């Protein structure tokens, strides 16, 4: 059997090609292209094909150009140890090479896994409806604001967000609302947390949604979530809470503080840092079910009356509702959701709570150690912290961060004299090294 | 052929939910050892509590109850389900490539070099001048592209509020345009299945921001009048947007940029063989012509002006962001590796074989195919028979059916796209499944499938009585 050179993944042998062309009734496959002369491309891309082996060498060498730094970074994107079982099971070809479950009778496995992911989000948020993924925390927040617009069309177009908010989240929010004629305004923070009195002044009946984060982007734990929930409810505004899968295990349950929508980052479990790739979580109340963006897996019965899973409420989605859909999201992050579910299930309730408690303890300990160094004050906010905290530096922060890189460590620069440091189970083993590096560069 | 999956049914071995195995409720701070005061914590957490060996079996079982491209043909029209090479997974899993998105540019030259290389490849393949890799899916790419069009018109002081979209286009086109605040003008198809040029000429005007077009279109037809279409839209001051869903049919033969398109998105998870992951992640890079480059989302990657290496930069009049960070990195790595593996001749060959396969399969299928000549996909009609029923019956014959009942211009449509990766034998099996289902009586079709993990699933009751978590199952059975 011989094959012409070309795609290594096209299986056609010469004899098969000939038989197929014969069956169609053409001399060669070029005759099948119905492209007018004026727009034919006769040039080359200049992309040299490589053998698999050569390409792996090339790409391994390319990626090795990244400096090998221990990262103490967070600000909405976190690195927790991912157990081997997550890679092993999620890489099974039946999961990774499959498509959206449009034929549920032969995709029960993935549907059940997504149903279980939704179910675990329901347990953690206390809200009865969770979709089976958005792209990331930023797009989930933006979808929440659009949901607020749909469910509260009668009054209010303002979305209130905290003064301290990642620029990426704000940027996506602004873009998603550009077509909805909604406006985004910030409310001030008070020593790292929501300035509740200032927020009270700002919330009125023109407010469609109030967004708060727990933990905040600076790692502080909010202390007045119930008050914010009450304030939003009194003004007929939606209360949207931003959080993440690990924080949900320990911090106040969103449903109990009046959250109408929970968004955030679910890729904290199951994903490596992956240069910012994410997994958006989205959960809400039953009454907004038919306005939820994205895919939902539900339980039904098959013709033999057995329990079966299927994508459901698809009349909300763009392939049916088109411009009146609740969102344009089609391809989502299903496989990443599977990974998060496996990681969650592997940790189990005790493992997850332990991990979350360590996020508080380790941050407090590391802040104390850095605070003891001359030239640093940490944390700058007098609050409880989760994973991360802001450090004041007497010297310019950017110069210190650059020097830390030469010592093998990466931290955030968040102001002229402010650094942000994040500790998790993925880097805690090197906390001594970070402290020593700080001593070296100060 | 009986599905491997069916043995679970025959043996009554449904895989229980994790919650049905064991769950544990953990109290927070029950021994006063919580690092936080009670008023900042929840009371308890209840989740499945299952050992690692049990988890391995659970998810292995679930994987076995799932169709995939490695299981068999997946000829879903417009979805381009092609084989995903294995080595690209290894490259993507390289720990050196997994870095925090806020790392300094000088410390992530490997990532930036790869992204810059991918920008270059995609620009050449699409005939575009500048590319952003940020959009995390095709629909996100559409949205980003339309935002670019909007910013461009606004910068020129133009107030254009309409986007024209053919009726047969993907639903995401309509949703993305609406999200950006545009009114959608739907364009009917002409009798030959292509854009109705007269209707287009009547539709364009001072309000037209853009025309969104898929070419070849959703029944596999090349829009032969593309040069005239481009001229018509451009003369009216509008922009031409290319939906990259069907780019696999054109690789190396025609480029959107050369056809007059100003903006396009690439579905790298389709054209460039990155896994669809059961519904994602994908990636939807956007390419534009020179005069739109300054509006692309930020950041982008470029070569440093001084010295060697790469840096991130914000385009001058950027529309901002459509993803919190830099997009779906792991998917982009796989796309780069796939393109580099095939190179010029492989990409050219992929589209040749994709078109050959579609035409061969079409020649062997007994259903009528109303529109042609088609390229990589064809829309057969099951005629008097319900396309969804035929599809369910095809499951019994051991194959995945095509996309059904779409596009609506073909009644009882069965939109079929085998891609280049199927052999003649595999295509013959697919045709046999089509033809066997076509020969089955209505009763058999309505009762199908009977050899799969689950029998026909009642979608109506799932929507009427939504049960979306295991909590909602309490009290069942």
């Amino acid at each position: 059997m011989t094959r012409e050179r070309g795609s290594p993944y096209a299986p056609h042998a010469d004899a098969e090609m000939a038989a197929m062309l014969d069956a169609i009734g053409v001399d060669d496959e070029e005759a099948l292209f119905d492209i007018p002369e004026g727009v034919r491309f006769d040039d080359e891309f200049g992309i040299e094909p490589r053998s698999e082996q050569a390409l792996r060498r090339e790409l391994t060498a390319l990626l090795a150009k990244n400096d090998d730094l221990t990262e103490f970074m967070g600000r909405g994107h976190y690195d927790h140890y991912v157990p081997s079982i997550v890679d092993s099971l999620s890489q099974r070809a039946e999961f990774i090479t499959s498509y959206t479950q449009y034929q549920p009778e032969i995709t029960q496995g993935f549907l059940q896994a997504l149903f279980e992911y939704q179910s675990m989000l329901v347990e953690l948020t206390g809200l009865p409806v969770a979709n089976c993924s958005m792209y990331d925390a930023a797009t989930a927040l933006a979808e929440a604001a659009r949901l607020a617009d749909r469910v509260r069309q009668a009054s209010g177009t303002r979305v209130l967000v905290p003064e301290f908010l990642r620029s990426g989240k704000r940027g996506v929010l602004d873009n998603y609302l550009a077509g909805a004629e909604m406006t985004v305004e910030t409310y001030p923070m008070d020593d790292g947390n929501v300035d509740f009195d200032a927020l009270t002044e700002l919330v009125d009946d023109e407010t469609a949604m109030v967004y708060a984060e727990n933990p905040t982007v600076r790692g502080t734990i909010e202390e007045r979530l119930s008050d914010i929930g009450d304030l939003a409810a009194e003004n007929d505004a939606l209360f949207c809470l931003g959080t993440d899968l690990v924080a949900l295990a320990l911090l106040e349950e969103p449903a109990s503080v009046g959250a109408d929508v929970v968004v955030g980052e679910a890729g904290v479990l199951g994903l490596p840092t992956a240069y910012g790739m994410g997994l958006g979580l989205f959960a809400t109340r039953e009454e907004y079910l038919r306005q939820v963006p994205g895919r939902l897996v539900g339980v039904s019965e098959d013709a033999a009356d057995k329990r079966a899973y299927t994508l459901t409420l698809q009349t909300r989605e763009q392939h049916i509702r088109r411009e009146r859909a609740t969102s344009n999201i089609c391809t989502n992050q299903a496989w990443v959701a599977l990974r998060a579910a496996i990681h969650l299930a592997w940790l189990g309730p005790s493992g997850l709570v332990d991990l979350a408690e360590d996020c508080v303890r380790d941050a407090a300990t590391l802040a104390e150690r850095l605070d003891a160094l001359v030239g640093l004050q940490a944390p700058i906010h007098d609050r409880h912290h989760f994973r991360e905290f802001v450090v004041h530096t007497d010297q310019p922060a950017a110069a210190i961060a650059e020097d830390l890189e030469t010592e093998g460590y990466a931290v955030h620069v968040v102001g002229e004299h402010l650094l942000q440091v994040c500790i998790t189970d993925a880097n805690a083993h090197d906390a001594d090294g970070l402290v020593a590096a700080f001593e070296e560069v100060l | 052929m009986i599905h491997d999956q069916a043995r679970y049914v025959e043996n009554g071995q449904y895989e229980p939910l994790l919650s049905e195995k064991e769950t544990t409720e953990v109290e927070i701070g029950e021994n006063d050892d919580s690092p936080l005061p009670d008023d900042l914590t929840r009371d308890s957490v209840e989740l499945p509590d299952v050992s690692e060996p049990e988890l391995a079996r659970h998810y292995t079982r679930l994987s076995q109850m799932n169709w995939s491209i490695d299981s068999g043909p997946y000829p879903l029209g417009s979805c381009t389900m092609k084989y995903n090479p294995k080595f690209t997974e290894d490259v993507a899993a390289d720990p050196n490539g997994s870095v925090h998105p806020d790392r300094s540019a000088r410390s992530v030259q490997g990532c930036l070099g790869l992204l810059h290389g991918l920008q270059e490849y995609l620009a050449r393949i699409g005939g575009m001048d500048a590319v952003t890799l940020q959009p995390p899916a095709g629909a996100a790419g559409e949205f980003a592209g339309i935002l670019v069009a909007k910013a461009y018109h606004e910068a020129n002081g133009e107030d254009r509020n309409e986007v024209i979209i053919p009726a047969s286009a993907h639903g995401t086109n309509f949703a993305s345009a609406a999200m950006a605040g545009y009114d959608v003008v739907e364009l009917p198809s002409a009798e030959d299945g292509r854009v109705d040029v007269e209707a287009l000429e009547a539709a364009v005007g001072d309000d037209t921001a853009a025309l969104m077009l898929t070419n070849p279109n959703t029944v596999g037809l090349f829009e032969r009048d593309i040069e005239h279409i481009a001229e018509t839209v451009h003369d009216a001051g509008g922009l031409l947007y290319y939906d990259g869903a069907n780019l696999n049919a054109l690789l190396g033969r025609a480029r959107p940029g050369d056809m007059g398109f100003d903006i396009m998105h690439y579905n790298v998870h389709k054209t460039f063989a990155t896994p669809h992951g059961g519904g994602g992640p994908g990636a939807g890079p956007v390419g534009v012509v020179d005069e739109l480059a300054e509006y692309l989302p930020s950041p982008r990657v470029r070569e440093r002006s001084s010295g060697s290496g790469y840096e991130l930069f914000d385009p001058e009049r950027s529309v901002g962001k459509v993803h919190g960070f830099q997009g779906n990195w792991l998917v982009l790595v796989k796309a780069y590796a796939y393109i580099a593996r095939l190179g010029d001749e492989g990409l050219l060959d992929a589209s040749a074989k994709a078109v050959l396969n579609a035409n061969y399969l079409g020649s062997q299928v007994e259903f009528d195919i109303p529109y042609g000549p088609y390229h990589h996909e064809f829309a057969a009609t099951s005629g008097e028979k319900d396309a969804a029923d035929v599809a369910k019956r095809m499951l019994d014959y051991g194959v995945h059916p095509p996309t059904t009942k779409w596009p609506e211009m073909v009644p009882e449509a069965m939109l079929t796209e085998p891609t280049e990766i199927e052999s003649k034998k595999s295509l013959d099996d697919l045709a046999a499944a089509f033809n066997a289902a076509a020969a089955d009586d209505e009763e058999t079709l309505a009762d199908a499938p009977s050899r799969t993990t689950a029998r026909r699933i009642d979608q109506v009751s799932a929507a009427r009585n939504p049960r979306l978590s295991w909590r909602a199952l309490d009290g069942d059975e």
Side-chain angles (χ1 to χ4, degrees):
Chain A
M1 185 161 98
T2 58
R3 289 191 186 92
E4 287 179 41
R5 293 188 67 199
S7 167
Y9 310 115
H12 307 66
D14 290 348
E16 288 171 345
M17 289 278 292
M20 290 165 72
L21 290 167
D22 194 44
I24 302 166
V26 294
D27 291 337
D28 63 34
E29 64 269 26
E30 297 307 322
L32 300 169
F33 286 89
D34 179 30
I35 302 175
E37 203 56 44
V39 295
R40 272 186 184 261
F41 176 70
D42 293 322
D43 205 353
E44 290 179 349
F45 302 140
I47 303 171
E48 190 64 33
R50 279 88 110 183
S51 72
E52 180 174 316
Q53 194 189 10
L55 196 52
R56 277 186 71 171
R57 265 202 312 274
E58 177 186 325
L59 293 175
T60 302
L62 177 60
L63 293 174
K65 289 184 180 170
N66 287 341
D67 294 345
D68 183 16
L69 305 179
T70 306
E71 295 167 348
F72 283 82
M73 305 184 96
R75 291 184 61 78
H77 194 76
Y78 304 101
D79 190 17
H80 287 283
Y81 171 72
V82 178
S84 295
I85 192 169
V86 171
D87 280 331
S88 174
L89 293 174
S90 69
Q91 287 284 356
R92 288 186 63 90
E94 301 92 331
F95 284 135
I96 196 166
T97 79
S98 63
Y99 193 66
T100 305
Q101 299 78 24
Y102 291 132
Q103 295 290 345
E105 290 86 359
I106 55 168
T107 48
Q108 285 295 294
F110 216 128
L111 286 164
Q112 182 172 334
L114 291 174
F115 181 80
E116 291 178 335
Y117 167 80
Q118 290 176 185
S119 298
M120 287 193 270
L121 284 189
V122 166
E123 296 298 334
L124 288 170
T125 60
L127 294 168
V129 177
N131 75 15
C132 58
S133 85
M134 312 303 292
Y135 306 129
D136 68 351
T139 51
L141 165 60
E143 293 279 9
R146 292 188 66 98
L147 174 112
D149 186 39
R150 288 192 295 276
V151 301
R152 298 190 64 268
Q153 274 171 348
S155 73
T157 56
R158 282 204 310 167
V159 174
L160 294 174
V161 300
E163 173 192 354
F164 299 147
L165 180 69
R166 267 207 73 104
S167 60
K169 283 185 187 167
R170 176 61 194 264
V172 174
L173 182 62
D174 285 341
N175 266 333
Y176 271 56
L177 295 186
E181 288 168 6
M182 296 178 84
T183 55
V184 185
E185 289 174 38
T186 58
Y187 59 81
M189 303 293 277
D190 172 23
D191 196 21
N193 279 10
V194 172
D195 182 337
F196 185 71
D197 294 337
L199 180 63
T200 307
E201 294 290 308
L202 284 168
V203 179
D204 57 18
D205 60 6
E206 285 300 301
T207 308
M209 185 173 104
V210 177
Y211 176 63
E213 297 185 332
N214 191 35
T216 67
V217 67
R218 293 188 154 190
T220 60
I221 296 171
E222 278 295 348
E223 292 163 16
R224 300 190 65 176
L225 286 176
S226 288
D227 292 337
I228 300 169
D230 290 345
L231 178 65
E234 283 158 17
N235 288 275
D236 195 23
L238 250 58
F239 175 29
C240 177
L241 181 65
T243 183
D244 68 72
L245 274 190
V246 178
L248 279 168
L250 181 62
L251 305 184
E252 288 179 275
E253 188 183 59
S256 74
V257 296
D260 299 294
V261 189
V262 177
V263 298
E265 191 47 67
V268 295
L269 294 180
L271 259 187
T273 43
Y275 203 42
M277 185 161 152
L279 168 63
L281 72 85
F282 192 101
T284 191
R285 294 147 58 115
E286 183 100 42
E287 61 185 293
Y288 306 135
L289 173 60
R290 284 166 205 277
Q291 292 300 328
V292 167
R295 297 213 171 101
L296 296 167
V297 177
V299 163
S300 186
E301 287 80 35
D302 72 0
D305 293 328
K306 286 190 171 164
R307 184 201 290 168
Y309 307 92
T310 182
L311 295 176
T312 192
L313 298 167
Q314 292 184 70
T315 49
R316 302 164 298 113
E317 295 190 70
Q318 34 66 37
H319 64 277
I320 294 182
R321 189 66 64 85
R322 305 210 296 186
E323 71 267 32
R324 289 180 301 282
T326 54
S327 166
N328 73 335
I329 192 168
C330 181
T331 298
N332 55 1
Q333 304 285 102
W335 180 74
V336 193
L338 167 76
R339 289 180 63 97
I342 298 173
H343 194 166
L344 257 175
W346 181 80
L347 285 165
S350 316
L352 186 65
V353 171
D354 287 350
L355 181 63
E357 290 187 341
D358 284 347
C359 288
V360 177
R361 289 196 191 98
D362 290 352
T365 305
L366 182 59
E368 208 172 288
R369 293 180 70 185
L370 294 181
D371 194 52
L373 301 181
V374 175
L376 297 184
Q377 294 87 48
I380 64 161
H381 299 301
D382 184 22
R383 305 284 184 191
H384 293 284
H385 286 76
F386 196 88
R387 290 196 195 97
E388 55 193 329
F389 52 89
V390 177
V391 184
H392 183 272
T393 63
D394 293 347
Q395 300 168 46
I400 291 180
E402 199 164 332
D403 289 348
L404 282 173
E405 278 194 8
T406 63
E407 300 291 323
Y409 295 92
V411 299
H412 299 274
V413 178
V414 294
E416 204 177 328
H417 288 278
L418 298 178
L419 294 175
Q420 190 164 331
V421 174
C422 175
I423 183 165
T424 70
D425 58 334
N427 58 18
H429 64 279
D430 208 2
D432 290 351
L434 178 74
V435 174
F438 262 107
E439 282 183 304
E440 189 68 31
V441 305
L442 283 172
Chain B
M1 177 178 167
I2 293 181
H3 280 271
D4 291 347
Q5 304 181 11
R7 70 175 183 272
Y8 295 115
V9 182
E10 285 166 1
N11 301 334
Q13 286 180 336
Y14 269 70
E15 178 61 13
L17 289 163
L18 285 171
S19 59
E20 292 164 337
K21 295 178 185 233
E22 187 165 356
T23 66
T24 301
E25 186 170 6
V26 173
E27 309 274 335
I28 307 287
E30 58 179 337
N31 304 318
D32 290 327
D33 60 354
S34 173
L36 290 174
D38 277 356
D39 59 343
L40 296 185
T41 62
R42 61 194 294 152
D43 298 332
S44 68
V45 177
E46 184 172 355
L47 284 174
D49 198 352
V50 180
S51 72
E52 178 162 328
E54 288 171 295
L55 277 184
R57 288 184 181 166
H58 178 71
Y59 285 102
T60 299
R61 178 73 61 86
L62 293 187
S63 76
Q64 290 166 342
M65 293 160 63
N66 207 64
W67 191 257
S68 73
I69 193 67
D70 283 8
S71 314
Y74 226 132
L76 282 166
S78 266
C79 301
T80 314
M81 284 297 293
K82 57 165 89 170
Y83 175 74
N84 310 132
K86 303 306 175 192
F87 86 103
T88 61
E89 293 301 320
D90 288 340
V91 176
D94 186 335
N96 281 326
S98 193
V99 294
H100 193 283
D102 287 342
R103 283 269 295 264
S104 67
R106 67 180 167 267
S107 75
V108 294
Q109 286 296 303
C111 287
L112 297 184
L114 188 143
L115 294 176
H116 187 262
L118 182 58
Q119 284 180 187
E120 285 286 303
Y121 282 170
L122 293 177
R124 287 188 229 170
I125 290 167
M128 291 285 155
D129 295 313
V131 172
T132 176
L133 303 173
Q134 190 181 111
E142 291 171 15
F143 181 58
I146 292 300
L147 289 177
V148 166
K150 191 176 188 183
Y152 168 81
H153 290 309
E154 279 172 4
N156 292 334
E158 300 238 23
D159 182 24
R160 293 169 175 266
N161 63 343
E162 290 178 356
V163 170
I164 304 173
I165 306 174
S168 64
H170 302 105
T172 48
N173 287 185
F174 300 84
S176 299
M179 263 175 75
Y182 282 108
D183 296 331
V184 174
V185 177
E186 192 174 306
L187 201 61
S189 299
E191 271 184 24
D192 69 354
R194 295 180 171 81
V195 167
D196 185 332
V197 176
E198 280 177 27
L200 174 65
E201 286 167 350
V204 296
D206 294 344
D207 291 331
T208 305
L211 168 68
M212 298 179 85
L213 208 58
T214 311
N215 194 18
N217 69 15
T218 47
V219 288
L221 308 182
F222 194 88
E223 297 288 354
R224 292 188 201 123
D225 298 319
I226 187 62
E227 290 165 289
H228 178 63
I229 290 170
E231 200 181 313
T232 304
V233 173
H234 288 153
D235 284 352
L239 296 169
L240 199 57
Y241 182 98
Y242 182 86
D243 179 331
N246 295 341
L247 184 64
N248 198 46
L250 288 188
L251 292 169
R253 289 189 162 71
R255 305 194 302 174
D258 303 336
M259 291 183 224
F261 286 92
D262 305 291
I263 311 170
M264 71 175 289
H265 80 264
Y266 306 78
N267 298 85
V268 301
H269 45 295
K270 297 181 181 182
T271 313
F272 305 116
T274 60
H276 286 60
V286 169
V288 295
V289 295
D290 246 340
E291 62 179 324
L292 299 178
E294 60 184 323
Y295 302 100
L296 284 173
S298 64
R300 294 184 57 227
V301 185
R302 69 180 171 201
E303 287 182 87
R304 273 200 289 244
S305 51
S306 59
S308 60
Y310 305 93
E311 64 186 6
L312 293 167
F313 74 104
D314 295 338
E316 203 174 332
R317 307 166 99 160
S318 173
V319 297
K321 294 189 72 69
V322 294
H323 184 266
F325 297 100
Q326 280 88 273
N328 278 340
W329 161 256
L330 296 174
V331 181
L332 299 170
V333 175
K334 294 175 205 182
Y336 180 96
Y338 177 83
I339 293 169
R341 175 84 179 93
L342 267 65
D344 278 35
E345 66 188 29
L347 294 169
L348 196 69
D349 187 57
S351 70
K353 303 272 172 61
V355 172
L356 172 69
N357 277 4
N359 278 275
Y360 176 70
L361 180 58
S363 75
Q364 304 299 304
V365 166
E366 284 164 15
F367 287 121
D368 185 36
I369 301 171
Y371 297 110
Y374 47 84
H375 287 84
H376 63 300
E377 64 188 349
F378 59 83
T381 172
S382 56
E384 298 295 304
K385 293 185 162 150
D386 185 291
D389 286 350
V390 173
K392 294 301 181 198
R393 185 62 179 153
M394 286 178 74
L395 298 176
D396 282 339
Y397 295 116
V399 301
H400 196 288
T403 301
T404 55
K405 307 216 176 198
W406 188 85
E408 284 159 11
M409 59 200 273
V410 176
E412 300 302 326
M414 306 195 71
L415 186 66
T416 311
E417 181 184 9
T419 83
E420 68 274 17
I421 67 126
E422 300 303 336
S423 67
K424 177 175 179 297
K425 164 79 169 64
S426 165
L427 297 169
D428 288 338
D429 289 347
L430 263 174
F434 265 99
N435 297 336
D440 283 326
D441 60 56
E442 302 274 351
E443 200 181 329
T444 308
L445 295 183
D447 195 42
S450 58
R451 301 171 181 173
T452 47
T453 319
R455 299 284 299 274
R456 183 83 64 105
I457 293 169
D458 183 353
Q459 314 251 16
V460 175
S461 91
R464 201 168 282 161
N465 172 28
R467 288 172 291 168
L468 306 173
S469 75
W470 55 52
R471 259 190 204 185
L473 296 180
D474 283 352
D476 276 19
E477 276 121 320

